Amino acid sequence: MPIPGHIDPVPVPRAATPRPDGRIDLLGLSKLELRMALETAQLEPKQAKLRAKQLWHWIYNRGVTDFSLMTDISKTMQPWLAARFAISRPEVVEAQVSTDGTRKWLLRAPDGEEYEAVFIPDADRGTLCVSSQVGCTLNCRFCHTGTMRLVRNLTAAEIVGQVMLARDALGEWPSTPEGRMLTNIVMMGMGEPLYNFDAVKDALGIVMDGDGLALSKRRITLSTSGVVPMMARAGAEIGVNLAVSLHGVTKEIRDEIVPLNRKYGIEQLLQACADYPGANNARRITFEYVMLKDKNDSDADAHELVRLLKHYDLPAKVNLIPFNPWPGAAYETSTPERVRRFSDIVFEAGISAPVRTPRGRDIDAACGQLKTASEKKSRAELDRLAEEKQAALG
């Protein structure tokens, strides 16, 4: 069924692009789909069940893409598999490394569409920022990705592929939890994850599977701009941590910078947060708040933010994000002094409000900067696209 929202997330349904060689790509298939693919290729059901288990281990625990390296599969079976199936990785158009160690990959799908993923290393963790769509419908005015048209949703394979590629680049096979650099995933890349719910759910199911990538749901965060009807379902069916792109505490300001607020207002959004399954003081909801000079950064805004979070009795953490400029942006970054003052007010009310250190700014990998290199537009074009999107909102 269609997902409620301003604009149909995928204007034109698109079939998956078949491989030129006719082989079936196993990446992104569930365990059941993997077994059924083998049965469809005329493997006897009992044999298919065994081979599916072996393939799952090699693909997601060992990171192997070559059937000939799967040592517990017979020498006669290996070429049979290779003739019918493939285990892919996204095509890397460009790989960049920031002076702070942040890595960004520009990736190209078989249909030629491009999307980005970012790995952010820290002393005690490493976080992969994963995209869910090519482009975005939401037109959040501070976000570079929001100036793009939505082209299409990413498939489960394309979402999982970003994790596999990062593991390849970091040399983290086999997949063991001890000592690995990639410890966390955030669905905060290009697109709105809840407008691509099924593919995101399927992909994260693979990522969390204990027989493969084995990343705990407590180490995965899904960020939404406030697609209220899908939030409870995300909590019940996916069960990962929730982050909400709030960015404003009044209807007027949030309508401007997060236009989805015109459909699902702050009160609806915060009530959905209060109802989110599994949210508690041990698993707080993260509220993302980009600091825009003279727009949403006053003392009054900070006090209103505290009032709202307390009114809805939310187990909350607020991430204050200095605005990351991009060419043609309509806003400026709040001064460091103003950001600190805002943070102090929220902290003094007993709510954690750390200031996020911008990472990867020099390679346009920071929060709100993701945008494919093929999308370069003038300020006039950006304004025109914004007007078109806002007209569609009604």
Side-chain angles (χ1 to χ4, degrees):
M1 62 181 290
I3 297 173
H6 294 110
I7 302 168
D8 183 4
V10 183
V12 180
R14 290 173 172 83
T17 303
R19 291 177 57 91
D21 59 15
R23 293 187 295 165
I24 302 299
D25 198 333
L26 300 181
L27 187 69
L29 300 185
S30 68
K31 285 181 172 177
L32 177 59
E33 290 169 337
L34 179 53
R35 193 176 81 197
M36 294 307 298
L38 295 173
E39 289 189 23
T40 301
Q42 306 304 311
L43 207 58
E44 186 269 332
K46 188 174 180 180
Q47 181 80 243
K49 183 177 180 180
L50 170 64
R51 296 303 180 203
K53 184 176 181 180
Q54 292 172 318
L55 287 167
W56 188 272
H57 173 81
W58 284 107
I59 294 170
Y60 296 113
N61 187 275
R62 305 299 292 270
V64 170
T65 59
D66 185 342
F67 294 103
S68 68
L69 300 178
M70 300 180 181
T71 53
D72 60 353
I73 295 177
S74 69
K75 295 288 187 181
T76 55
M77 176 60 67
Q78 290 170 359
W80 184 90
L81 289 168
R84 293 162 176 78
F85 302 105
I87 305 164
S88 71
R89 291 290 188 270
E91 176 191 350
V92 178
V93 179
E94 184 178 20
Q96 296 175 276
V97 181
S98 167
T99 54
D100 63 23
T102 298
R103 302 187 186 200
K104 183 173 78 169
W105 295 277
L106 174 62
L107 308 174
R108 181 178 292 138
D111 62 0
E113 299 299 343
E114 295 177 349
Y115 52 102
E116 294 182 336
V118 174
F119 176 71
I120 307 161
D122 277 308
D124 61 342
R125 69 175 62 191
T127 302
L128 183 68
C129 184
V130 175
S131 292
S132 58
Q133 296 179 309
V134 180
C136 190
T137 63
L138 296 182
N139 196 36
C140 297
R141 294 301 300 271
F142 61 87
C143 179
H144 204 192
T145 313
T147 65
M148 295 175 64
R149 294 180 185 275
L150 177 71
V151 179
R152 66 170 175 84
N153 287 334
L154 294 180
T155 65
E158 289 165 338
I159 295 169
V160 174
Q162 296 171 65
V163 183
M164 305 296 280
L165 177 73
R167 281 277 182 87
D168 290 348
L170 297 170
E172 299 207 321
W173 302 110
S175 181
T176 56
E178 296 81 19
R180 63 187 177 195
M181 293 175 63
L182 200 170
T183 61
N184 294 67
I185 288 175
V186 292
M187 297 299 306
M188 296 182 184
M190 296 169 61
E192 165 56 64
L194 294 187
Y195 275 156
N196 188 16
F197 183 87
D198 290 335
V200 168
K201 175 186 173 181
D202 292 347
L204 292 182
I206 292 171
V207 170
M208 293 186 287
D209 190 280
D211 295 329
L213 291 168
L215 204 64
S216 165
K217 66 181 180 181
R218 293 180 180 275
R219 291 188 171 272
I220 300 174
T221 299
L222 184 149
S223 177
T224 179
S225 289
V227 186
V228 168
M230 303 301 297
M231 288 170 61
R233 188 177 167 195
E237 297 182 27
I238 304 176
V240 296
N241 300 319
L242 179 69
V244 174
S245 294
L246 190 61
H247 309 306
V249 293
T250 67
K251 173 175 170 53
E252 177 187 14
I253 296 302
R254 198 164 189 269
D255 278 357
E256 174 189 337
I257 61 179
V258 186
L260 186 62
N261 194 71
R262 299 175 188 177
K263 188 170 184 70
Y264 308 116
I266 294 175
E267 293 80 9
Q268 287 177 275
L269 173 58
L270 294 180
Q271 186 59 56
C273 290
D275 297 337
Y276 187 75
N280 54 49
N281 286 328
R283 294 187 67 195
R284 292 174 294 173
I285 294 173
T286 298
F287 289 91
E288 296 156 334
Y289 198 96
V290 65
M291 300 295 293
L292 303 172
K293 183 178 180 181
D294 300 328
K295 180 62 64 172
N296 64 354
D297 62 352
S298 69
D299 285 7
D301 291 319
H303 287 297
E304 177 63 7
L305 174 59
V306 168
R307 188 195 70 79
L308 286 169
L309 297 180
K310 288 186 176 292
H311 176 76
Y312 287 91
D313 195 24
L314 289 167
K317 170 186 175 182
V318 180
N319 267 348
L320 300 179
I321 307 167
F323 174 59
N324 295 304
W326 41 270
Y331 302 107
E332 296 179 42
T333 308
S334 301
T335 66
E337 295 76 21
R338 181 95 296 272
V339 175
R340 280 196 298 271
R341 172 61 182 156
F342 194 103
S343 175
D344 288 344
I345 291 171
V346 180
F347 263 119
E348 287 164 6
I351 299 169
S352 178
V355 179
R356 185 188 296 175
T357 302
R359 300 292 299 274
R361 273 184 170 177
D362 56 320
I363 57 170
D364 288 339
C367 181
Q369 289 185 320
L370 291 195
K371 192 172 191 219
T372 64
S374 59
E375 288 277 335
K376 302 293 186 184
K377 293 185 174 69
S378 67
R379 178 70 253 172
E381 176 70 359
L382 295 176
D383 288 342
R384 185 184 66 78
L385 290 174
E387 289 173 4
E388 288 180 2
K389 284 187 177 183
Q390 292 197 8
L393 301 179

